Amino acid sequence: FSNIRKSHQQFNTVVILNPDHNGMNEPVSVDSHDNWDSPLGQIRVDTEFAEAINFPRVPAHFAEHSAEVIVPLLQYFLEEEFKILPITISEQTVENARSVAHALHNYVKESGKKTLLIASSDFSHFVTAEKGKALDDLVVEKIKKLDVKGVYNTITENNISVCGHGPIMALMEYSSLAFSNPEVHLLSQGNSAKTYPSDDVVNYISMIFCDD
């Protein structure tokens, strides 16, 4: 978030790609509300964008936290007014990730809106910090290569608990579509034991996707 602010870019819309931890929604859905409230105030949903990409609009966030936790950070770090577009990927397949990426890319290209995409996800859950890093490094290797199928296969074959791999894959695919020379940079890697010592941690990674 600090790097986004330091870039001094202004965005019309921030798309928040998020998983569905309950698995109770449509395979892909867009939030049905016009506004969200956060501790830092109300923020508008880009309803025009939501209608244009033609995914079902449902209230997917009553029992889902992975988009709402992003909103106050955006409000704090972004200086100019913007709208949000929360997109929930419940069935986290390669096909759905690519469908989301192509729909977003087509609309952004046609509308000319300045758009920031964020994929919300933790990485390995409830393992030791060492095991979590070893597993996550397998995924990071595929992410850096923008290998969407490789991410999916690595996670499923090794039973790695990356909760938002659908959003990550969608962001990867979008980067390949939007950028002539896409690059992926690892900004930070850590785990919850850095705040509260434990042998049973959740792992966190921050990465940025940009054009060369």
Side-chain angles (χ1 to χ4, degrees), residues 36 51 74 78 97 149 163 176 194:
W36 280 29
E51 294 293 341
L74 290 170
L78 296 187
K149 284 188 176 180
C163 58
S176 296
K194 293 187 176 182

Side-chain angles (χ1 to χ4, degrees), residues 178-191:
F179 300 144
S180 55
N181 293 294
E183 290 189 347
V184 185
H185 299 276
L186 178 65
L187 301 180
S188 182
Q189 188 168 4
N191 59 73

Side-chain angles (χ1 to χ4, degrees), residues 107-144:
Y107 178 74
V108 171
K109 189 175 180 180
E110 291 173 5
S111 68
K113 285 189 176 180
K114 300 294 185 182
T115 306
L116 171 67
L117 269 65
I118 294 179
S120 177
S121 178
D122 295 334
F123 275 70
S124 290
H125 291 61
F126 312 128
V127 292
T128 64
E130 295 75 19
K131 182 177 181 180
K133 185 178 186 307
L135 291 172
D136 293 343
D137 283 347
L138 299 176
V139 183
V140 169
E141 180 184 355
K142 302 298 182 182
I143 294 174
K144 286 183 174 180

Side-chain angles (χ1 to χ4, degrees), residues 125-181:
H125 291 61
F126 312 128
V127 292
T128 64
E130 295 75 19
K131 182 177 181 180
K133 185 178 186 307
L135 291 172
D136 293 343
D137 283 347
L138 299 176
V139 183
V140 169
E141 180 184 355
K142 302 298 182 182
I143 294 174
K144 286 183 174 180
K145 295 177 180 178
L146 294 172
D147 182 357
V148 174
K149 284 188 176 180
V151 167
Y152 182 83
N153 291 337
T154 298
I155 287 171
T156 54
E157 290 170 5
N158 295 280
N159 196 29
I160 304 174
S161 53
V162 178
C163 58
H165 58 279
I168 293 170
M169 293 189 298
L171 179 56
M172 293 167 63
E173 182 73 13
Y174 183 91
S175 298
S176 296
L177 295 169
F179 300 144
S180 55
N181 293 294

Side-chain angles (χ1 to χ4, degrees), residues 20-113:
D20 174 11
H21 286 84
N22 299 292
M24 299 174 62
N25 291 296
E26 299 283 343
V28 177
S29 61
V30 179
D31 186 61
S32 58
H33 295 87
D34 293 339
N35 299 283
W36 280 29
D37 287 323
S38 90
L40 297 183
Q42 192 174 88
I43 191 164
R44 295 164 64 193
V45 174
D46 192 332
T47 55
E48 178 185 357
F49 202 151
E51 294 293 341
I53 57 176
N54 203 31
F55 293 112
R57 295 193 68 190
V58 301
H61 298 272
F62 283 121
E64 178 56 50
H65 63 277
S66 56
E68 69 179 31
V69 296
I70 301 295
V71 172
L73 292 165
L74 290 170
Q75 291 173 298
Y76 180 81
F77 281 94
L78 296 187
E79 298 173 345
E80 303 293 331
E81 184 178 350
F82 61 93
K83 296 179 181 179
I84 60 170
L85 182 65
I87 299 178
T88 301
I89 303 177
S90 183
E91 294 184 6
Q92 302 191 72
T93 64
V94 171
E95 292 75 20
N96 283 341
R98 286 180 170 163
S99 176
V100 169
H102 282 263
L104 293 174
H105 180 253
N106 289 340
Y107 178 74
V108 171
K109 189 175 180 180
E110 291 173 5
S111 68
K113 285 189 176 180

